[in-house]
């Protein structure tokens, strides 16, 4: 009788950890595990979390992005971090603190194709770690960024261009003040390499007065275009999109920016300036001071 009680007690003692573990295993975790077992790879929806090199590049160049785009990217990163919470919970529940061979053995109890499983698990754990790295870098930059200020002095030049190599078009506007002069030139270049307008390229230059430079400068300042970031890229992987660039020089300071598949902050202001300058060519003559 005593031997039976002893064996029963020993059996319960060794069974308890398994029972406790099962109690922590929820139906949601079962569903997540099933999804992971069926996966061939983990699909990351955030461009910047696509691989570790992109994360390092973003952190290195974090000062080049505007506050607005930093906050938008942070939202996408948090979303991706939340997506890996469930599989990370499953991984931790299976492996515990085990490492090396013990960790592999624990995973092998739940996954038959370990090559495929490791591909998914490694990516989940990398994203879980890298997402926090990005969030910390963005938070620090937003907190310590000095407010942008409008450059001083007269406007010396304004240049903008946009194009799409796949679609076969490019367009550019360049406003440039003549040295030691109150006037300058405005050049419009358009290039079409595909479609019904292929070969219908233009390269037109007109003379413009100082009032044009002053108006563009006023539009930049009132529209706070000086708050623009230096780089703009989408938070999702996009191919065959348009690229653009902007360069503005003043007597004391400059503004420069470029992007691919993502427009800048205050894009409405930039569009307004471009329309104003393009309208100069319709007049067909020099604008004079009022």
């Amino acid at each position: 009788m005593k031997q039976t009680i002893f064996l029963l007690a020993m059996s319960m003692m060794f069974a308890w950890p398994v029972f406790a573990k099962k109690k922590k295993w929820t139906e949601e975790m079962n569903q997540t595990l099933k999804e992971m077992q069926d996966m061939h790879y983990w699909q990351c929806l955030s461009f910047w979390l696509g691989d570790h090199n992109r994360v390092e590049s973003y952190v290195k160049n974090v000062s080049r992005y505007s506050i607005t785009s930093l906050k938008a990217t942070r939202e996408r990163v948090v979303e991706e971090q939340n997506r890996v919470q469930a599989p990370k919970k499953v991984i931790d529940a299976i492996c515990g603190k085990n490492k090396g061979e013990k960790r592999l053995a624990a995973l092998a109890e739940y996954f038959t194709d370990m090559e495929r499983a490791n591909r998914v698990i490694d990516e989940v754990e990398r994203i879980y770690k890298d997402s926090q790295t990005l969030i910390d870098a963005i938070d620090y930059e937003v907190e310590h960024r000095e407010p942008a200020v409008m450059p001083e002095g007269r406007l010396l030049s304004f240049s903008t261009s946009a194009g799409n190599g796949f679609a076969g078009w490019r367009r550019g506007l360049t406003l440039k003040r003549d040295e030691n002069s109150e006037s300058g030139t405005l050049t419009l270049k358009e290039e079409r390499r595909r479609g019904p307008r292929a070969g219908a390229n233009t390269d037109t230059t007109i003379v413009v007065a100082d009032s044009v430079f002053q108006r563009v400068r006023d539009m930049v300042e009132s529209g706070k275009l000086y708050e623009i970031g230096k780089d703009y890229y989408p938070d999702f992987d996009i191919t065959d999109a348009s690229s653009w660039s902007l360069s503005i020089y003043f007597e004391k300071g400059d503004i420069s920016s470029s992007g691919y598949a993502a427009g800048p902050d205050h894009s409405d202001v930039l569009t307004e300036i471009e329309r104003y300058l393009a309208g100069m060519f319709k007049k067909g003559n020099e604008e004079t001071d009022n």
Side-chain angles (χ1 to χ4, degrees):
M1 181 66 178
K2 289 183 179 180
Q3 185 177 8
T4 302
I5 295 173
F6 174 76
L7 292 174
L8 179 60
M10 291 296 292
S11 174
M12 290 180 66
M13 183 176 67
F14 285 109
W16 171 249
V18 177
F19 177 71
K21 183 176 180 180
K22 286 184 177 180
K23 285 192 70 175
K24 294 179 182 178
W25 196 273
T26 65
E27 185 59 36
E28 180 183 358
M29 293 171 71
N30 274 331
Q31 179 61 34
T32 301
L33 175 62
K34 178 63 170 62
E35 292 172 358
M36 293 173 69
Q37 290 168 334
D38 294 337
M39 286 181 187
H40 289 269
Y41 63 93
W42 179 267
Q43 184 178 11
C44 181
L45 302 181
S46 167
F47 173 80
W48 294 112
L49 283 171
D51 60 58
H52 187 66
N53 289 334
R54 292 181 187 176
V55 174
E56 290 185 328
S57 174
Y58 191 95
V59 172
K60 180 181 178 181
N61 297 295
V62 68
S63 63
R64 298 181 63 85
Y65 308 118
S66 71
I67 295 296
T68 301
S69 61
L70 284 171
K71 291 180 178 179
T73 296
R74 189 187 192 282
E75 289 183 7
R76 302 290 84 75
V77 171
V78 169
E79 288 178 3
E80 195 66 20
Q81 186 184 59
N82 291 337
R83 284 185 68 230
V84 299
Q85 292 286 351
K88 182 67 167 63
K89 186 177 180 180
V90 169
I91 295 167
D92 292 343
I94 293 173
C95 299
K97 296 182 179 180
N98 291 326
K99 296 181 180 180
E101 294 299 323
K102 290 185 177 179
R103 172 186 168 92
L104 292 175
L107 290 170
E109 293 182 21
Y110 295 86
F111 296 93
T112 55
D113 188 335
M114 287 305 299
E115 181 181 352
R116 200 167 74 181
N118 284 327
R119 188 162 57 239
V120 173
I121 291 166
D122 289 348
E123 185 69 352
V124 165
E125 294 191 315
R126 180 195 66 78
I127 291 172
Y128 184 82
K129 182 178 179 180
D130 279 349
S131 61
Q132 194 58 51
T133 298
L134 282 180
I135 291 170
D136 291 342
I138 291 171
D139 287 348
Y140 185 89
E141 182 66 24
V142 170
E143 182 179 354
H144 294 86
R145 174 80 62 86
E146 292 291 333
V149 295
M150 176 70 181
E152 299 178 356
R154 297 184 305 167
L155 174 67
L156 301 180
S157 67
F158 176 97
S159 178
T160 181
S161 67
N164 186 308
F166 181 79
W169 66 270
R170 176 156 292 279
R171 185 175 189 271
L173 276 166
T174 301
L175 176 67
K176 186 176 182 180
R177 185 184 294 276
D178 294 336
E179 190 173 356
N180 301 320
S181 173
E182 294 300 315
S183 63
T185 58
L186 175 62
T187 301
L188 171 63
K189 291 184 178 182
E190 292 183 295
E191 184 179 342
R192 295 281 180 175
R193 296 192 299 274
R194 297 181 183 178
R197 295 182 59 194
N201 303 330
T202 61
D203 187 345
T204 308
T205 299
I206 59 175
V207 177
V208 293
D210 179 67
S211 60
V212 176
F213 289 84
Q214 185 58 50
R215 181 168 178 183
V216 171
R217 190 195 188 285
D218 291 342
M219 294 167 79
V220 170
E221 184 169 18
S222 62
K224 297 184 178 181
L225 196 56
Y226 55 86
E227 293 179 342
I228 197 171
K230 291 186 178 296
D231 293 321
Y232 288 86
Y233 298 100
D235 289 313
F236 304 98
D237 200 3
I238 299 176
T239 58
D240 297 332
S242 299
S243 60
W244 59 271
S245 65
L246 171 69
S247 297
I248 313 174
Y249 288 91
F250 303 84
E251 289 178 316
K252 297 180 181 180
D254 64 272
I255 300 169
S256 63
S257 183
S258 63
Y260 171 81
D265 299 288
H266 308 295
S267 58
D268 55 333
V269 179
L270 181 57
T271 299
E272 184 182 359
I273 294 173
E274 290 175 328
R275 286 176 178 171
Y276 165 68
L277 292 177
M280 295 290 102
F281 293 93
K282 295 180 181 179
K283 293 183 179 181
N285 51 40
E286 179 183 351
E287 180 179 83
T288 58
D289 290 310
N290 294 326

